[in-house]
Amino acid sequence: MSTTRSPRNKTLTLSPQEEKDFFSHCLTTLPQIVQQADIIDKTICADTFTTLEKLPQAWVDLAIVDPPYNLTKNYSGNTFTKQKPQEYHTYTQQWLSLLLPLLKPNASCYICCDWQSSIIIADVLTHFASQNALLIQNRITWEREKGRGAKHNWKNASEDIWFITKSSDYTFNLDAVKIRRKVIAPYTINGTPKDWQKTSEGSFRDTCPPNFWDDISIPYWSMSENTDHPTQKPEKLLAKLILASSNPGNIVFDPFVGSGSTSVTAKKLKRHWCAIEQNPQYCAWTEARLARADKDTTIQGFDGTVFYERNSGPIKR
């Protein structure tokens, strides 16, 4: 049964014909021998595991991986069923072992997870690190801001992102990801601001980003980036990863792209992209959002030079 949306609801909707038209832009089959040129700036509608086996080696500058968390979740008809910890451990080992050869020697990779799957993924990463296949650089925790309360436990309101690299030689653009914070107690020396600025917007300082992020807004119905995907990541979150760990013209790869947020954000930030998604409807949404990005390159909470705290600064409507 269709739902009537509010006129102010900007959630992406496509007619059956539009879905068909946008889906036609995707790759559904690959050549016998896949070259980098075959897959750049493409959405591949296929199974991730069989596709990873076909892709060329050492061509990815940055991988952003948002695999199904170890939860039972319905993805528009495709259900991922919660596995036993060892089964999810094996599942993670399988896709990671296929992904690592695709990364360039100086590539970075970010892996999204909730607190439960984070424990398992940490163990998998430690195993690969012990074999000198990767380096674990950090774990980012970001506040989801939304979520149901719990009567007998703490509300689950955060997620993790593991930051790994192939080697100690990797890209990290610190100045591209600084966050603009309001100055509560402005300190001056002889009347001159010390490490902060005073503008018409107020007093602020641009600070180095920590590994805890409390400035992210989950896409909601009045934001044009919103889709009906059940686990969509915000473009602002992805922009931080892409700006920090890649350069313009680099290739950003997402093997579980969902509704396309990684590809769209990469395009807005002048990177190339490639992504895999098995759900045809999600692939159509990805291509529709990529088409929109030809005209709209804005990212909520980011003015092109600095990230703003939640509910402050430039807000994409």
Side-chain angles (χ1 to χ4, degrees), residues 41 46 80 97 139 147 169 212-213 256-257 262 279-280:
D41 299 341
F80 183 93
S97 64
R139 185 193 68 191
D169 176 23
F212 175 74
W213 297 354
F256 300 94
V257 80
T262 297
N279 187 304

Side-chain angles (χ1 to χ4, degrees), residues 175-221:
D175 288 338
V177 288
K178 288 191 174 180
I179 185 168
R180 182 156 293 179
R181 296 194 181 277
K182 295 177 182 178
V183 177
I184 306 301
Y187 181 73
T188 62
I189 298 178
N190 298 324
T192 301
K194 185 181 187 321
D195 77 4
W196 59 276
Q197 302 176 50
K198 186 174 184 179
T199 73
S200 58
E201 298 178 356
S203 301
F204 65 86
R205 64 168 51 89
D206 294 344
T207 65
C208 293
N211 63 352
F212 175 74
W213 297 354
D214 60 357
D215 62 318
I216 303 295
S217 294
I218 297 293
Y220 47 89
W221 61 271

Side-chain angles (χ1 to χ4, degrees), residues 82-126:
K82 183 175 181 179
Q83 302 175 344
K84 295 179 180 178
Q86 186 54 50
E87 292 173 339
Y88 193 77
H89 191 283
T90 300
Y91 173 83
T92 303
Q93 276 190 314
Q94 288 174 339
W95 66 251
L96 186 58
S97 64
L98 293 170
L99 175 67
L100 287 174
L102 311 187
L103 305 182
K104 292 180 180 178
N106 61 346
S108 297
C109 176
Y110 292 93
I111 303 170
C112 303
C113 47
D114 68 349
W115 73 269
Q116 294 183 79
S117 56
S118 184
I119 297 170
I120 300 171
I121 288 173
D123 189 61
V124 175
L125 296 179
T126 301

Side-chain angles (χ1 to χ4, degrees), residues 49-188:
F49 289 86
T50 57
T51 303
L52 289 174
E53 294 176 340
K54 300 176 182 178
L55 300 184
Q57 296 195 350
W59 62 283
V60 173
D61 296 289
L62 169 63
I64 298 177
V65 189
D66 188 12
Y69 298 174
N70 196 22
L71 302 167
T72 297
K73 178 77 69 172
N74 187 327
Y75 296 93
S76 300
N78 294 327
T79 299
F80 183 93
T81 303
K82 183 175 181 179
Q83 302 175 344
K84 295 179 180 178
Q86 186 54 50
E87 292 173 339
Y88 193 77
H89 191 283
T90 300
Y91 173 83
T92 303
Q93 276 190 314
Q94 288 174 339
W95 66 251
L96 186 58
S97 64
L98 293 170
L99 175 67
L100 287 174
L102 311 187
L103 305 182
K104 292 180 180 178
N106 61 346
S108 297
C109 176
Y110 292 93
I111 303 170
C112 303
C113 47
D114 68 349
W115 73 269
Q116 294 183 79
S117 56
S118 184
I119 297 170
I120 300 171
I121 288 173
D123 189 61
V124 175
L125 296 179
T126 301
H127 168 73
F128 278 93
S130 69
Q131 298 180 335
N132 298 318
L134 57 83
L135 296 175
I136 302 173
Q137 299 292 348
N138 212 325
R139 185 193 68 191
I140 299 163
T141 298
W142 62 284
E143 184 183 20
R144 293 186 69 254
E145 184 190 19
K146 293 168 65 177
R148 294 181 179 178
K151 292 183 179 180
H152 304 291
N153 203 339
W154 307 105
K155 177 180 176 180
N156 187 13
S158 67
E159 294 188 9
D160 287 349
I161 304 175
W162 285 96
F163 171 32
I164 65 173
T165 61
K166 281 292 290 286
S167 70
S168 58
D169 176 23
Y170 61 92
T171 296
F172 195 81
N173 301 311
L174 173 63
D175 288 338
V177 288
K178 288 191 174 180
I179 185 168
R180 182 156 293 179
R181 296 194 181 277
K182 295 177 182 178
V183 177
I184 306 301
Y187 181 73
T188 62

